[in-house]
Amino acid sequence: MSRTALRICPLCEATCGLTLTLDGPRVTAARGDRDDVFSQGFICPKGASFGAVDADPDRLRAPLVRRDGELREASWEEAFDAVAAGLAPVVERHGPHAVGVVLGNPNVHTVAGGLYPSVLLAALGTRSVFTASTVDQMPKHVSSGLLFGDANAIPVPDLDRTDHLLLIGANPLESNGSLCTAPDFPGRLKALRARGGTLTVIDPRRTRTAKLADRHVPIRPGTDALLLAAVAHVLFAEGLTDLGVLAPHVEGVSELRAALRDFTPEAVAAACDVDAATTRALARELAAAPTAAVYGRIGSCTVPHGTLASWLVDVLNTLTGNLDRPGGALFPQAATDKSPRPAGPGRGFALGRWHSRVSGHPEAKGELPLSALAEEIDTATAEGEPVRALVAIAANPVLSAPDGARLDKALGSLDFMVSVDPYLNETSRHAHVVLPPPPPAQSPHHDFALNTLAVRHQVRYTRPAVPLEPGRPAETEILARLILAATGRHGTDPGAVDATVIAQTLGKAVTEPHSPAYGRDPRALAALLTGADGPERRLDLMLRLGPYGDGFGVRPDGLTLEKLLAQPHGIDLGPLRPRLPQPLKTRSGKVELLPGPIAGDLPRLRRALAERPAGLVLIGRRHLRSNNSWMHNIPALTGGSNRCTLHLHPEDAARLGVADGAVVRVKGAGGEVTVPAEVTDAVRPGVVSLPHGWGHDRPGTRLAHAALDPGVNVNQLLDGSLLDPLSGNAVLNGVPVALDTTP
Ligand SMILES: Nc1nc2c(c(=O)[nH]1)N[C@H]1C(S)=C(S)[C@@H](COP(=O)(O)OP(=O)(O)OC[C@H]3O[C@@H](n4cnc5c(=O)[nH]c(N)nc54)[C@H](O)[C@@H]3O)O[C@H]1N2
Ligand SMILES: Nc1nc2c(c(=O)[nH]1)N[C@H]1C(S)=C(S)[C@@H](COP(=O)(O)OP(=O)(O)OC[C@H]3O[C@@H](n4cnc5c(=O)[nH]c(N)nc54)[C@H](O)[C@@H]3O)O[C@H]1N2
Ligand code: SF4
Ligand SMILES: [Mo]
């Protein structure tokens, strides 16, 4: 007897609602949920493969514990005993910073990842925190922190209403969008064109997204900050700035004008390889559009001037009056956001409150660069203890971070490592304990993180589609028990973690005049929470205290978990709305258009005006049927055009004597890889492209299908030394490489 169940897809940032067909515990089909309030039936090939992802035979079903050097299956009790026994002595002997934590991308796609990592970090008190953010969007957090006083206040383009979208270094037709949660991003771009709007794409490759555009600017990699500075320059020079109703909320406009004086279209033309007329046209089109949104993603972040480029994206939104207006770029307000405090000056955003031990990199948002993880483990200094134990949750940095070979070796030298991961892969193979979460069909879903970046306000929650296999803990329970084991409370009821968080949250809320809980009895409020378990009660708490919540009865029409459960296709909460000045937490209470650290980094950008790459530079690419490093084990998602090849322009191929399909050696600062060339004019001359997340040929992993066609690890070409200085973000695009065609 088959049945159906609803499940929000966790496989990318688009958060599509799926209808799963189930035969017992097996997912036999997945289609788009036509009644989903946000995705309205959209699905992509990855979502359609949900059943195959869920049922991958290589998923671990029991914990692994290392005994006599070998990872062997063990009971959950034994596994958590081993975690407690492994971590406690490291903290005792070497202090909290000797325990490192690595958080990977899927934490934004799980309920467990939304609720527990912050509790773990607070409990450990370690400064050795590394996440996928510093190989991704940290520059955007830093620019938002500096401009708006809140690193998480990221404006998203109002895709469904804008008249003009300037899209920089993003390829949503393959990625399905990022820092802009929008199911059916491709359809929304087509709708923009259909309603008479225009799309401009800045990308060194002629991507599927670029092919859809009215204008494609094939920029030289790594130079977007120069181009955007010149666009801002033109807005000033031609009198095209118009802040409109934003003006009273913005400071630093004239200082900005002066700071950008040198960045004329002519001055940036050679470095960007974009002629001055095109730059002027970009500025004029942006200013002339009734509404417009500037949006930058991976290609604008993972570059040497990532923070400056991210800052300039919002500078352009501000100067054209498009920040915080419908059709422009707005600040979403998620249902689980904190209840909004009144507008007014805030504490501002601090960078570099501490530094990494070996290279002295400044922290950003409480994190150190993932690029520095290997050296923080393998290098002793007088400054303090190296990292000796590691907690990795949903992370595969051996493939996703620079210089995987060095990190691979460093991980092998740790006193203790625990991985929360469904696979025995390139990273988890070094763990002393592997704690596998259940597959997605057995897990609940709510998008704590991605709803704060969504193009429409909505809220959805799906309970597990299939009951947990007997004896298997949910990932929420795994993380709660990990927290207890890591902090000397091994064996305590994991529900205590949730109860403590609830008590602390309510204890604070009752003291805040803007909270609906103000002045009330926290224990009485806690008793009102509903939900089948601790994580559900925490979701209920966040919903009820949140901007659309019932405030525990203060707003009887407001949201509660019960109301959400009664709407399995979700609840629509309307389009994005102007919110300024409320989200601003800068010391001035205004948008600070030229923050000090940014001004301090402009001389480096000015020097870049004269830089020209001598040889080839490397950039990445994504394929619709991939997801970073962990989906190459699914036969339905591999093969065809989803291959690890080096894209190379025909002119470069001819010059270097490389035939299509020939195997070439690519050399970078961190090492070399050997890979087949694919000659294509989709990349611009002077640029080669390799996808990331490949290189599944290391021993001791259990990824049978991925190992058949392992590909190579592009990040081996990097040595980890190239960073965006303000954010610590790795430079993954625009990296100098050389090709060697001798066999
Ligand atoms: N050269 C280059 N490198 C890049 C990038 C690039 O564009 N170019 N992109 C970067 C970006 S944007 C990112 S986000 C990073 C991603 O890098 P990582 O954060 O390392 O993420 P993944 O490679 O997706 O690996 C995720 C890990 O989580 C595990 N996993 C999957 N599902 C679950 C789950 O439900 N629970 C748990 N606990 N674990 C799970 C997988 O088995 C895998 O081990 O890579 C970065 N690396
Ligand atoms: N299918 C699939 N979807 C994914 C992922 C995946 O691995 N596969 N990963 C997910 C993750 S973790 C993330 S963060 C998002 C990322 O989402 P996107 O940012 O849309 O990612 P990409 O498809 O890599 O697009 C980046 C584009 O930047 C271009 N680029 C490279 N260098 C430069 C440059 O210097 N300047 C400019 N202007 N462009 C440049 C590249 O050619 C590429 O087309 O995708 C998510 N979705
Ligand atoms: S677009 Fe993303 S969320 Fe939607 S079905 Fe595909 S992988 Fe899942
Ligand atoms: Mo990412």
Side-chain angles (χ1 to χ4, degrees):
M1 253 280 287
S2 78
R3 62 183 180 97
T4 61
L6 299 175
R7 209 310 179 176
I8 302 160
C9 181
L11 304 179
C12 86
E13 297 183 38
T15 74
C16 303
L18 305 181
T19 306
L20 306 179
T21 307
L22 298 149
D23 184 0
R26 223 161 45 86
V27 180
T28 54
R31 55 194 160 80
D33 171 16
R34 248 166 295 157
D35 299 318
D36 183 282
V37 295
F38 195 21
S39 63
Q40 290 155 354
F42 181 77
I43 189 168
C44 86
K46 272 190 291 189
S49 301
F50 184 100
V53 172
D54 200 70
D56 184 346
D58 282 337
R59 274 181 186 270
L60 304 172
R61 300 173 75 137
L64 304 178
V65 175
R66 194 174 293 278
R67 300 227 194 278
D68 308 319
E70 295 260 331
L71 278 171
R72 299 202 187 128
E73 282 199 5
S75 71
W76 286 95
E77 290 313 314
E78 290 167 320
F80 285 109
D81 287 347
V83 173
L87 288 177
V90 175
V91 180
E92 264 162 44
R93 256 178 255 151
H94 308 288
H97 310 313
V99 179
V101 177
V102 184
L103 302 172
N105 170 272
N107 283 302
V108 300
H109 298 286
T110 63
V111 167
L115 292 179
Y116 297 88
S118 57
V119 185
L120 174 71
L121 296 181
L124 284 173
T126 175
R127 286 181 172 174
S128 305
V129 180
F130 309 83
T131 85
S133 294
T134 52
V135 283
D136 187 347
Q137 82 289 359
M138 189 58 92
K140 194 74 209 172
H141 288 303
V142 171
S143 81
S144 279
L146 294 170
L147 277 164
F148 311 126
D150 180 353
N152 288 317
I154 295 179
V156 305
D158 194 3
L159 282 189
D160 298 338
R161 292 184 289 183
T162 194
D163 297 294
H164 179 68
L165 181 65
L166 175 55
L167 191 149
I168 303 153
N171 186 12
L173 263 74
E174 304 281 357
S175 70
N176 280 310
S178 179
L179 298 189
C180 176
T181 283
D184 195 13
F185 207 128
R188 289 171 202 259
L189 291 183
K190 286 170 197 152
L192 161 70
R193 302 282 320 277
R195 67 176 177 266
T198 46
L199 172 67
T200 296
V201 171
I202 303 179
D203 196 308
R205 294 190 304 128
R206 198 175 63 255
T207 60
R208 286 174 60 209
T209 308
K211 283 184 195 154
L212 210 65
D214 299 272
R215 183 194 283 280
H216 170 217
V217 181
I219 193 170
R220 202 196 300 280
T223 64
D224 296 82
L226 289 172
L227 178 66
L228 299 182
V231 171
H233 178 99
V234 174
L235 292 178
F236 281 121
E238 301 191 0
L240 298 174
T241 63
D242 179 7
L243 278 71
V245 297
L246 282 176
H249 304 303
V250 179
E251 63 164 46
V253 178
S254 54
E255 292 85 346
L256 174 70
R257 179 188 189 126
L260 296 180
R261 202 170 19 218
D262 298 345
F263 299 96
T264 63
E266 285 72 18
V268 306
C272 301
D273 200 10
V274 176
D275 60 69
T278 300
T279 306
R280 290 206 165 81
L282 291 175
R284 290 169 190 162
E285 285 164 7
L286 193 61
T291 63
V294 186
Y295 161 68
R297 207 46 285 279
I298 279 286
S300 69
C301 281
T302 53
V303 287
H305 304 282
T307 300
L308 291 183
S310 299
W311 162 71
L312 284 160
V313 163
D314 287 323
V315 162
L316 293 177
N317 282 321
T318 305
L319 292 179
T320 53
N322 282 301
L323 183 74
D324 197 47
R325 88 164 163 202
L330 298 107
F331 300 95
Q333 174 108 77
T336 52
D337 280 353
K338 288 200 187 102
S339 156
R341 65 173 192 104
R347 302 228 309 262
F349 174 75
L351 265 176
R353 292 163 297 173
W354 55 87
H355 291 78
S356 74
R357 198 177 43 82
V358 181
S359 291
H361 298 302
E363 64 75 36
K365 210 170 162 267
E367 301 183 19
L368 298 175
L370 189 58
S371 299
L373 174 59
E375 69 180 21
E376 288 296 309
I377 298 172
D378 70 18
T379 309
T381 61
E383 258 55 66
E385 293 284 345
V387 169
R388 294 175 190 269
L390 198 67
V391 179
I393 305 175
N396 192 7
V398 169
L399 293 191
S400 43
D403 200 351
R406 179 173 177 185
L407 184 57
D408 196 53
K409 207 164 155 231
L411 295 180
S413 75
L414 288 165
D415 291 354
F416 182 76
M417 172 172 168
V418 50
S419 270
V420 182
D421 205 289
Y423 288 106
L424 189 57
N425 64 15
E426 298 76 16
T427 296
S428 62
R429 75 192 182 106
H430 290 292
H432 297 79
V433 179
V434 184
L435 304 170
Q442 295 174 34
S443 304
H445 195 86
H446 172 74
D447 285 294
F448 289 103
L450 299 175
N451 282 348
T452 69
L453 298 160
V455 298
R456 193 168 171 93
H457 295 138
Q458 38 69 45
V459 57
R460 295 164 297 154
Y461 173 65
T462 47
R463 282 184 160 162
V466 175
L468 282 169
E469 268 170 49
R472 272 194 88 157
E475 184 163 9
T476 48
E477 183 183 332
I478 293 172
L479 295 192
R481 290 175 73 178
L482 177 61
I483 290 166
L484 295 170
T487 53
R489 290 172 290 164
H490 177 44
T492 316
D493 170 18
V497 173
D498 301 308
T500 306
V501 173
I502 289 169
Q504 283 171 347
T505 308
L506 282 169
K508 187 154 178 273
V510 297
T511 67
E512 294 171 329
H514 64 271
S515 170
Y518 184 57
R520 298 165 78 181
D521 172 12
R523 270 169 311 235
L525 298 181
L528 296 176
L529 293 173
T530 68
D533 52 20
E536 282 199 350
R537 277 191 290 280
R538 287 177 63 189
L539 174 58
D540 193 29
L541 174 68
M542 292 166 82
L543 291 171
R544 298 177 84 163
L545 288 181
Y548 312 88
D550 84 332
F552 290 97
V554 173
R555 295 179 296 251
D557 293 340
L559 280 178
T560 63
L561 176 65
E562 275 180 353
K563 282 188 195 154
L564 188 51
L565 285 168
Q567 301 292 337
H569 305 285
I571 298 174
D572 183 56
L573 299 166
L576 303 184
R577 286 179 286 272
R579 290 181 56 205
L580 287 183
Q582 190 278 329
L584 301 175
K585 294 184 188 158
T586 48
R587 283 171 186 263
S588 61
K590 299 196 175 195
V591 176
E592 296 181 356
L593 216 47
L594 185 63
I598 295 276
D601 201 23
L602 282 175
R604 195 172 59 93
L605 189 64
R606 213 166 280 121
R607 287 197 295 278
L609 286 168
E611 283 166 18
R612 308 278 181 278
L616 291 172
V617 294
L618 173 78
I619 63 172
R621 68 176 189 270
R622 282 172 162 79
H623 190 281
L624 182 58
R625 287 182 299 128
S626 77
N627 189 17
N628 300 325
S629 74
W630 69 279
M631 267 179 214
H632 300 136
N633 208 48
I634 315 295
L637 294 175
T638 49
S641 56
N642 187 9
R643 291 184 56 228
C644 185
T645 58
L646 185 81
H647 283 184
L648 177 70
H649 190 271
E651 282 172 22
D652 293 317
R655 183 171 48 84
L656 296 162
V658 177
D660 188 50
V663 170
V664 291
R665 205 139 28 112
V666 191
K667 294 183 173 179
E672 58 178 65
V673 298
T674 303
V675 62
E678 199 176 328
V679 178
T680 164
D681 66 1
V683 284
R684 51 160 286 153
V687 175
V688 293
S689 165
L690 256 181
H692 71 284
W694 295 86
H696 306 290
D697 51 2
R698 287 183 163 82
T701 61
R702 201 178 297 167
L703 297 164
H705 180 72
L708 296 176
D709 188 7
V712 298
N713 179 11
V714 62
N715 287 325
Q716 200 49 55
L717 299 171
L718 310 172
D719 64 3
S721 67
L722 286 180
L723 299 179
D724 168 42
L726 286 177
S727 64
N729 208 83
V731 174
L732 305 171
N733 281 296
V735 177
V737 291
L739 294 197
D740 185 344
T741 49
T742 55

